[in-house]
Amino acid sequence: DAGVIQSPRHEVTEMGQEVTLRCKPISGHNSLFWYRQTMMRGLELLIYFNNNVPIDDSGMPEDRFSAKMPNASFSTLKIQPSEPRDSAVYFCASTDREGYSNQPQHFGDGTRLSIL
Amino acid sequence: GESVGLHLPTLSVQEGDNSIINCAYSNSASDYFIWYKQESGKGPQFIIDIRSNMDKRQGQRVTVLLNKTVKHLSLQIAATQPGDSAVYFCAEAFSGGYNKLIFGAGTRLAVHP
């Protein structure tokens, strides 16, 4: 089975440019998460979707960040305009959540973003 | 091997020895705990999980122990191999929430031949 697929794997762009990160969750999973990982702050949850609906976006740093999930098999995280401090590894994870039962989240291999 | 602040602690072991990685969690209401392994350039990989109605769970070469009294979690790896070298993260969640995982800072495991 294919795992969570993220693209691109690496992105280098100049400050002020728009950046779009993409994620395809595991087929059949109904929950999707976007995380950011830095040395300083570790793994931080940015936003959580359940059944394609954003449930918790309290981790989104500021209005420059936005995320969408137009259907069950695709999500995007957009940064506009990008800044050097956005440089990090961005991960997408998915899980199949039933009611209040916790299940393991399965992560993609991330997008390493460098803003010059 | 507990994670403290921004510095990633390192546990160094000899190949073939057993490894124990420790984690202190913060929320006494947490009832789901999970360990991830992260290799360089890859995403966190699920190893094993445990719910609060258990105090021990075993997988293949791995055992997770949960002590709710002192809010402590540990991951034991038997017969550690070079392929086990990675950063290990514990995470906690509360089932009354939405499966939101709170991650620890991580512990680096270095396996020496």
Side-chain angles (χ1 to χ4, degrees), chain B residues 8-87:
Chain B
L8 208 57
T10 298
L11 176 65
S12 293
V13 299
Q14 291 293 124
E15 182 178 356
D17 286 353
N18 296 334
S19 303
I20 300 176
I21 301 171
N22 295 304
C23 177
Y25 63 92
S26 56
N27 186 354
S28 56
S30 293
D31 56 8
Y32 178 72
F33 307 89
I34 189 166
W35 281 98
Y36 284 93
K37 172 187 179 183
Q38 187 175 23
E39 297 175 280
S40 181
K42 296 195 173 182
Q45 177 188 1
F46 167 69
I47 302 173
I48 193 168
D49 59 359
I50 188 169
R51 302 183 192 279
S52 59
N53 60 350
M54 303 173 70
D55 53 21
K56 179 180 179 179
R57 191 169 187 215
Q58 289 184 291
Q60 187 176 17
R61 279 202 309 121
V62 295
T63 300
V64 56
L65 298 177
L66 174 62
N67 185 330
K68 296 181 285 295
T69 302
V70 294
K71 294 192 288 186
H72 184 267
L73 195 65
S74 68
L75 178 70
Q76 301 178 359
I77 304 174
T80 313
Q81 302 168 1
D84 296 326
S85 294
V87 176

Side-chain angles (χ1 to χ4, degrees), chain A residues 41-95:
Chain A
R41 300 172 68 94
L43 266 166
E44 302 174 276
L45 177 65
L46 299 178
I47 189 168
Y48 158 65
F49 290 87
N50 184 251
N51 292 322
N52 313 336
V53 175
I55 303 299
D56 182 359
D57 64 356
S58 59
M60 296 286 263
E62 45 197 277
D63 292 346
R64 297 184 297 106
F65 285 68
S66 62
K68 294 183 179 179
M69 191 163 186
N71 58 63
S73 58
F74 184 65
S75 177
T76 60
L77 178 67
K78 188 172 293 188
I79 308 172
Q80 166 64 22
S82 57
E83 296 182 4
R85 61 193 167 118
D86 301 331
S87 297
V89 182
Y90 291 80
F91 289 103
C92 177
S94 71
T95 191

Side-chain angles (χ1 to χ4, degrees), chain A residues 9 33 35 37 39-41 43 45 48 55-56 58 91 95 97 99-110 112, chain B residues 6 8 31-32 34 36 38 41-46 49 51 89 93-101 103-105 108:
Chain A
R9 288 299 315 277
F33 306 79
Y35 290 87
Q37 186 177 42
M39 286 299 296
M40 290 294 291
R41 300 172 68 94
L43 266 166
L45 177 65
Y48 158 65
I55 303 299
D56 182 359
S58 59
F91 289 103
T95 191
R97 175 170 172 80
Y100 289 106
S101 173
N102 283 301
Q103 300 295 331
Q105 294 178 22
H106 298 274
F107 285 75
D109 281 336
R112 182 173 295 276
Chain B
L6 302 174
L8 208 57
D31 56 8
Y32 178 72
I34 189 166
Y36 284 93
Q38 187 175 23
K42 296 195 173 182
Q45 177 188 1
F46 167 69
D49 59 359
R51 302 183 192 279
F89 294 95
F94 170 52
S95 59
Y98 60 72
N99 203 32
K100 179 176 182 175
L101 292 177
F103 283 85
R108 184 178 304 280

